[in-house]
Amino acid sequence: MNFSLTEEHLMIRDAARDFAQTELLPGVIERDNTQTFPDSLVRKMGELGFLGVMVDPKYGGSGMDAISYAIIMEELSKIDASASVIVSVNNSLVCYGLEAYANEEQKQKYLTKLASGQSVGAFCLSEPEAGSDATSQRTTAIDKGDHYLINGTKNWITSGGRADVYIVIAQTDKHKGSHGINAFILEKGMPGFDIGPKEDKLGIRGSDTHTLQFNDVKVPKENRIGDDGSGFRFAMKTLSGGRIGIAAQALGIAAGAYELALKYSKERKAFGTEICNHQAIAFKLADMHTEIEAARMLVMRAAWDKDQGYNYDMSSAMAKLYASKVAMEHTVEAVQIHGGNGFVKEYHVERLMRDAKITQIYEGTSEIQKIVISRGIIKE
Ligand code: CAA
């Protein structure tokens, strides 16, 4: 067993850290205030290979492993979780789904641009009445011979307004339950595909979240991914990898808040000494350091499982469940350590605290992760 990162992983970490510090940090408060999507930064992340980290270079990707992906996600998320969710969805839910399940023509047409950052992708599963209960899809895709006709509504879609390519999960035969669901590739601008207003969110405000409406959208048959009826398993498998990305995001949010709190506690004086010397603060730092390290081990274990070709449904759910809990609890502690300054935007920890909450909700709530884990335990 080896707990050390390789030279290559360390170089990737340093590159992501440097990008986050020099490019993401300067405008992060402004983007959060104004809910501004980081267009030019997304382009730069594409040039650095962050948008198709695990994709084969023959499809425009960086050909790196899942551990590298987790490292990049952690480093970006320490500074800007809005930017990192765009990265996570593009990598895990869109590029991975296409590379693993799409045919060669679909890969050539869509994956190459998505992996190199020339296009941005969105993943559309959630609906007003099908969030956690993903088999209850109300969006329909009716087979019309050479095309499908898609009708319905998708909610809370990350990069919903800015994406170019959308993977849409819809029901083709409701009598077949989860086996009557398919995944389709849609493009922005298809007639009948409307983008609703942007959501005004608590956190990850620099990302772009919309409701999408499909009214008789004609989607060519060649845009269906995989065999007929394979869409639910496609979505579940893709989400398992997505949970590694979001677990790494949660880890980064927690680690970012911890690093700020540690630094602050070594500078701020009260009762005649730096506040880190007071046990009330020192014990908080000890808990944060320990639990963040434990979260990092779960994240790396899930990424390693994926790299080894092992099943990672359970390990990714465990990583996401734990890392998101650590992120929520320790960003609150980071605000507390900062006292009044923690409540002020320029100290960054209040934003990290707001951003942490979504990691317990998207790509499956904490309760959904417990369903996945408990079913896995019982099956073992
Ligand atoms: N891999 C492959 N197949 C899987 C699978 C997996 N990980 N999980 C389930 N399946 C298969 C099952 O084997 C089963 O197949 P059979 O019928 O052939 O046996 C079929 O799918 C149905 O599975 P279940 O009976 O387990 O389905 P369920 O209705 O009980 O639901 C669930 C399972 C885990 C609760 C699932 O609905 C779930 O994960 N829900 C959460 C959805 C979610 O994460 N949404 C997030 C939206 S995306 C997002 O947030 C992106 C963003 O913008 C950031």
Side-chain angles (χ1 to χ4, degrees):
M1 197 176 289
N2 185 352
F3 288 98
S4 315
L5 293 177
T6 63
E7 279 300 313
E8 199 186 340
H9 287 141
L10 289 171
M11 277 168 58
I12 291 161
R13 186 194 65 187
D14 292 346
R17 191 173 283 179
D18 184 55
F19 177 81
Q21 282 293 334
T22 56
E23 300 279 353
L24 295 181
L25 184 59
V28 67
I29 294 174
E30 178 66 10
R31 290 191 299 277
D32 176 71
N33 278 341
T34 54
Q35 295 213 90
T36 303
F37 185 86
D39 281 304
S40 62
L41 295 167
V42 170
R43 265 195 305 282
K44 285 184 186 172
M45 289 193 287
E47 285 159 17
L48 285 169
F50 293 171
L51 291 181
V53 177
M54 294 166 288
V55 175
D56 191 320
K58 77 175 177 187
Y59 298 118
S62 305
M64 293 190 241
D65 58 8
I67 294 206
S68 304
Y69 171 52
I71 291 170
I72 292 167
M73 279 300 298
E74 179 183 347
E75 292 304 326
L76 301 181
S77 306
K78 282 181 183 175
I79 305 294
D80 187 353
S82 296
S84 75
V85 72
I86 301 161
V87 171
S88 184
V89 168
N90 202 73
N91 273 283
S92 303
L93 302 186
V94 181
C95 287
Y96 170 79
L98 291 175
E99 188 166 28
Y101 299 100
N103 62 36
E104 190 55 33
E105 289 73 32
Q106 292 169 336
K107 287 182 198 177
Q108 292 294 345
K109 186 167 178 193
Y110 297 106
L111 180 57
T112 308
K113 283 188 184 161
L114 287 160
S116 58
Q118 293 168 64
S119 303
V120 172
F123 181 82
C124 315
L125 173 69
S126 304
E127 299 186 358
E129 289 175 76
S132 294
D133 183 8
T135 44
S136 298
Q137 295 288 300
R138 300 267 171 94
T139 296
T140 54
I142 304 303
D143 190 341
K144 295 282 183 188
D146 66 340
H147 67 273
Y148 285 90
L149 216 47
I150 301 197
N151 280 285
T153 305
K154 294 288 175 183
N155 270 25
W156 311 299
I157 304 304
T158 301
S159 303
R162 280 300 212 278
D164 308 284
V165 176
Y166 297 75
I167 294 185
V168 176
I169 313 296
Q171 192 184 67
T172 43
D173 186 346
K174 88 169 180 199
H175 302 294
K176 291 188 182 160
S178 68
H179 294 268
I181 290 174
N182 276 298
F184 300 91
I185 306 168
L186 270 66
E187 292 174 33
K188 179 181 263 153
M190 282 179 157
F193 176 5
D194 296 320
I195 296 165
K198 186 172 172 143
E199 300 290 356
D200 188 2
K201 307 190 298 279
L202 171 75
I204 55 162
R205 288 170 57 81
S207 70
D208 181 56
T209 309
H210 290 256
T211 293
L212 307 178
Q213 199 78 44
F214 308 100
N215 300 305
D216 282 340
V217 181
K218 209 172 154 182
V219 178
K221 208 144 212 183
E222 63 260 26
N223 281 29
R224 191 187 75 210
I225 302 172
D227 295 335
D228 188 21
S230 64
F232 189 74
R233 283 182 307 287
F234 163 88
M236 289 301 109
K237 209 64 235 169
T238 303
L239 276 167
S240 282
R243 288 167 188 160
I244 300 175
I246 298 304
Q249 179 186 54
L251 167 64
I253 293 171
Y258 163 72
E259 286 169 15
L260 290 170
L262 177 62
K263 182 168 179 288
Y264 184 84
S265 74
K266 287 177 167 179
E267 290 164 2
R268 173 80 177 180
K269 287 190 178 155
F271 304 103
T273 183
E274 289 78 12
I275 60 171
C276 63
N277 296 321
H278 296 299
Q279 210 172 54
I281 302 296
F283 279 13
K284 281 190 201 299
L285 293 169
D287 282 341
M288 290 165 99
H289 186 79
T290 305
E291 290 174 24
I292 288 167
E293 194 54 33
R296 189 173 288 114
M297 286 186 195
L298 282 174
V299 171
M300 289 303 164
R301 168 62 198 265
W304 183 83
D305 281 347
K306 187 166 189 293
D307 287 335
Q308 300 305 309
Y310 298 157
N311 188 302
Y312 49 93
D313 294 339
M314 245 178 96
S315 55
S316 61
M318 285 162 61
K320 181 178 180 292
L321 175 67
Y322 187 70
S324 61
K325 177 173 171 287
V326 166
M328 196 63 252
E329 289 176 3
H330 293 320
T331 51
V332 172
E333 289 292 53
V335 171
Q336 192 67 19
I337 290 170
H338 279 76
N341 283 328
F343 215 60
V344 173
K345 294 200 173 192
E346 71 172 280
Y347 285 83
H348 297 283
V349 284
E350 64 81 35
R351 184 186 70 257
L352 291 165
M353 183 181 82
R354 287 185 285 107
D355 289 348
K357 188 60 206 167
I358 193 62
T359 67
Q360 295 184 303
I361 299 173
Y362 58 20
E363 301 203 19
T365 59
S366 298
E367 293 73 21
I368 289 292
Q369 309 315 315
K370 290 181 193 181
I371 292 177
V372 174
I373 297 161
S374 57
R375 285 182 182 176
I377 299 167
I378 293 161
K379 213 165 62 186
E380 266 177 6

